[in-house]
Amino acid sequence: MKQTDEELGRWIVAPLVILFIIVLFRTAWLCDDAFITYRTIDHWIDGRGLVFNLGERVQAYSHPMWMLTIALLYWVSGDIYFTPILASILLSTLAVSLLAFRIAEDRTQAILCLLVLLSSQAFIDYSTSGLENPLTHLLLALFGAEFLKKAPSEWNLFGLALLGGLLATNRMDCLLLIGPALGYAIVRLSRANTLTWAACLRQTLLGFSPFLLWTAFSVVYYGFPFPNTAYAKLGTQIPRKELLEQGGYYFLDSLGTDPVTLMVIVWSLLLVFLSNDRNPRRIALGAGVILYALYIAFIAGDFMSGRFLAAPLFVALMIFRPRLATVRMKLTERLFAASVIVFVGLSAGNPPLLTGASYGLDPNSAEWVGPHGVANERAYYYQDTGLLRAHRGGNLRAVRDHAWKIRGSFRLQGNVFLAGGLGFLGFFSEPEDHLIDFHGLVDPLLARLPVDQRWRIGHFPRGLPMGYVETLDSGENRIENGDLALYYDKLSVLTRGPIFSIVRFKEIWAMNWRSYDKWLDRYDERFEQPVQ
């Protein structure tokens, strides 16, 4: 019977992986935020620098490794629509295949994991989208295959650290997911006298060299170690209570619109921490999931429904065990568990398995945005960028034409434009157009100014300082507020001055140690014009 069950499982796993690929092709899409990165890539490939606006060095993306990956592929293909979609499908398929055929302990775990992923709106939606999730999932799968499937004595600490460094380079906050596991590996190897503490430190630092090198490059080129988006979204000065409440709403939104994702994360963690064998490696990865969940609550979640839950779900499935006991599940128990997953997944409002070319068609698109600002982004953009819409004129032609049609309405003065969403508009604008995002994502000055009280998660509007538009248009500092004008002069040395300059390196040190924040603290908001 055991052999029969194993053979049956083998015949089920492969078709489920194929079904996953089919679902990805049916749901593949691109979001507006991805094109903020793509405008930077377009400038870089054309020799204009790794910038969003010409002449201003600002890191307007939070995923350097993903940016470099798409840049290389775009340089080869010359196509910005199919390139990220096909790359995402390939990387996501590799990640899921590693989970099913390499990480899962048996066919039961593989089948249940695949059913969960097929039912998870968060995972399916962000297995494409143009954002960095597919590469994150693949790196997590490679880390899990090394950490979970090999005996501690066989661990390659450099390999684990290298994967951790690549994850951090791809998205810095992913360190929380694998940090406890990497720490456990270091402690285990050193205590077992496999490696000395000095050797552990050396191999860890060597492994993290991609992340350390990128950080060094970011400081030298951009003037700051973190992306501008971090300063815009994490330095809002909004009371922590409000942010935590919004983080709670983010989890509630997932529970209401995509119940499989959050339920399986919790289910997996309970089974890991309550299991009879108390496997320390699974506990370490489980601790990473908990840390990441706390981080999501701390930063108030995101406006993209489920985006930040896809990676924790993937890690939760790597350590998932179908039941508390160590004995194998009976066939009837497997069928029941599979039925429950499929039922819960199909009972959601927009199950990925049932969506097609008509997804997102609704006379009132505002319904895709929840009462607390969390949105179903794929539903919002699918009709314009969905892969199944490509042959219907729905790939970027319609988006490009619309961007050109409305471009003039965002012009403030000269070649300076103001908008709230800069992805599509920025990519299809002229290279010399200077676009201001009043949420501060691509603007180094606005990212550091006080946030308007009428904020939505992920969208923190700032008023425009009087004289700032004239400053950007003329190239001369015409900001009316004296304190802010002084701060902008220092900031401009970092973002606009000669890269290799002693004066600039001194200002980089002073700016990052917040020596000039006194001018921001004295900034008078009466010297700004509100954004309508």
Side-chain angles (χ1 to χ4, degrees):
M1 183 65 181
K2 174 181 175 182
Q3 185 176 359
T4 303
D5 287 352
E6 189 69 14
E7 291 175 355
L8 178 62
R10 197 176 294 116
W11 281 100
I12 296 175
V13 173
L16 284 177
V17 172
I18 295 173
L19 178 59
F20 176 79
I21 298 172
I22 294 172
V23 170
L24 284 194
F25 273 96
R26 289 176 55 81
T27 58
W29 66 296
L30 296 175
C31 69
D32 180 82
D33 271 34
F35 281 79
I36 297 177
T37 302
Y38 299 166
R39 176 177 165 95
T40 300
I41 290 173
D42 201 47
H43 280 327
W44 189 34
I45 288 177
D46 287 342
R48 297 187 288 263
L50 202 57
V51 299
F52 184 86
N53 287 314
L54 299 187
E56 187 175 57
R57 294 183 299 272
V58 177
Q59 187 182 334
Y61 50 91
S62 57
H63 39 229
M65 188 174 174
W66 176 248
M67 181 276 296
L68 294 172
T69 301
I70 297 301
L72 175 62
L73 297 175
Y74 179 42
W75 178 69
V76 173
S77 71
D79 175 85
I80 201 59
Y81 178 74
F82 292 105
T83 297
I85 284 182
L86 294 179
S88 296
I89 292 174
L90 174 62
L91 295 176
S92 295
T93 301
L94 290 174
V96 169
S97 299
L98 277 172
L99 175 63
F101 295 111
R102 180 76 176 90
I103 299 175
E105 289 191 345
D106 53 34
R107 303 301 176 187
T108 298
Q109 183 184 353
I111 292 170
L112 294 181
C113 287
L114 288 169
L115 289 175
V116 168
L117 295 179
L118 284 165
S119 304
S120 168
Q121 183 175 317
F123 192 83
I124 294 296
D125 282 3
Y126 293 98
S127 286
T128 53
S129 85
L131 297 173
E132 76 286 340
N133 291 64
L135 185 53
T136 295
H137 300 153
L138 177 59
L139 292 171
L140 287 172
L142 291 170
F143 185 92
E146 173 74 17
F147 183 71
L148 291 172
K149 303 306 292 183
K150 292 185 178 180
S153 59
E154 299 174 348
W155 281 339
N156 181 347
L157 182 57
F158 170 76
L160 288 172
L162 178 62
L163 290 169
L166 293 175
L167 269 167
T169 309
N170 192 49
R171 187 172 176 91
M172 199 176 297
D173 53 26
C174 286
L175 270 177
L176 295 171
L177 284 168
I178 55 93
L182 188 58
Y184 172 79
I186 293 172
V187 172
R188 180 67 184 265
L189 290 172
S190 61
R191 287 186 174 178
N193 293 323
T194 305
L195 292 172
T196 64
W197 280 104
C200 286
L201 179 61
R202 183 171 57 253
Q203 292 199 24
T204 302
L205 289 176
L206 285 174
F208 268 83
S209 57
F211 176 65
L212 297 175
L213 288 172
W214 175 264
T215 302
F217 166 80
S218 181
V219 170
V220 171
Y221 187 75
Y222 294 113
F224 298 96
F226 307 113
N228 195 69
T229 52
Y231 298 98
K233 291 187 177 183
L234 303 182
T236 60
Q237 300 179 6
I238 295 172
R240 183 57 54 189
K241 179 182 178 183
E242 292 184 32
L243 295 176
L244 290 173
E245 287 178 355
Q246 180 63 42
Y249 293 136
Y250 188 72
F251 288 114
L252 288 176
D253 170 83
S254 175
L255 193 60
T257 61
D258 181 26
V260 163
T261 297
L262 206 54
M263 290 173 62
V264 169
I265 290 175
V266 174
W267 182 18
S268 178
L269 290 175
L270 288 175
L271 295 179
V272 165
F273 284 95
L274 298 177
S275 176
N276 295 338
D277 62 355
R278 302 279 294 173
N279 186 305
R281 285 184 277 179
R282 293 176 183 271
I283 289 175
L285 284 171
V289 173
I290 293 173
L291 279 177
Y292 200 82
L294 293 174
Y295 164 76
I296 293 173
F298 186 79
I299 65 169
D302 188 43
F303 70 95
M304 299 185 188
S305 179
R307 178 192 174 189
F308 283 177
L309 295 175
L313 173 67
F314 193 79
V315 176
L317 290 176
M318 290 198 301
I319 60 175
F320 175 72
R321 281 192 169 181
R323 56 180 293 169
L324 288 173
T326 56
V327 298
R328 291 180 175 272
M329 295 179 73
K330 298 178 181 178
L331 180 60
T332 54
E333 292 174 324
R334 301 180 199 179
L335 293 174
F336 176 74
S339 300
V340 169
I341 293 170
V342 173
F343 174 78
V344 174
L346 293 179
S347 66
N350 304 286
L353 283 168
L354 301 182
T355 62
S358 62
Y359 187 62
L361 282 177
D362 194 288
N364 182 15
S365 60
E367 291 184 0
W368 298 122
V369 182
H372 300 287
V374 183
N376 184 334
E377 289 285 288
R378 183 167 74 89
Y380 193 86
Y381 288 111
Y382 189 82
Q383 289 303 302
D384 292 320
T385 67
L387 185 58
L388 293 184
R389 305 291 302 177
H391 66 286
R392 297 174 172 84
N395 70 335
L396 303 178
R397 288 189 296 274
V399 176
R400 178 199 60 199
D401 293 344
H402 181 67
W404 272 100
K405 182 179 179 180
I406 65 175
R407 175 174 168 269
S409 63
F410 294 107
R411 187 189 300 271
L412 294 178
Q413 180 175 319
N415 71 331
V416 179
F417 297 77
L418 174 71
L422 293 187
F424 298 134
L425 181 66
F427 187 82
F428 292 113
S429 292
E430 295 291 350
E432 62 271 14
D433 288 347
H434 189 105
L435 290 96
I436 305 175
D437 169 25
F438 55 75
H439 298 125
L441 298 182
V442 303
D443 191 287
L445 181 63
L446 296 188
R448 289 158 175 82
L449 294 186
V451 173
D452 191 294
Q453 292 301 312
R454 299 168 297 172
W455 60 273
R456 172 195 166 200
I457 183 59
H459 301 74
F460 302 102
R462 279 87 168 174
L464 288 179
M466 292 182 182
Y468 187 46
V469 174
E470 293 78 6
T471 298
L472 294 174
D473 184 47
S474 66
E476 300 177 359
N477 190 344
R478 298 181 181 177
I479 297 175
E480 295 184 16
N481 181 273
D483 290 316
L484 195 62
L486 289 171
Y487 186 85
Y488 181 74
D489 279 338
K490 298 296 186 181
L491 183 63
S492 295
V493 173
L494 276 66
T495 61
R496 296 174 179 270
I499 295 178
F500 299 104
S501 161
I502 297 299
V503 172
R504 182 171 180 267
F505 287 134
K506 289 180 178 179
E507 296 297 358
I508 288 174
W509 177 271
M511 185 67 72
N512 282 282
W513 282 99
R514 309 182 69 172
S515 300
Y516 305 128
D517 280 13
K518 57 187 177 183
W519 291 325
L520 285 180
D521 295 338
R522 293 201 298 261
Y523 171 58
D524 192 337
E525 295 179 39
R526 291 178 299 174
F527 284 87
E528 68 182 21
Q529 53 194 90
V531 176
Q532 300 297 326

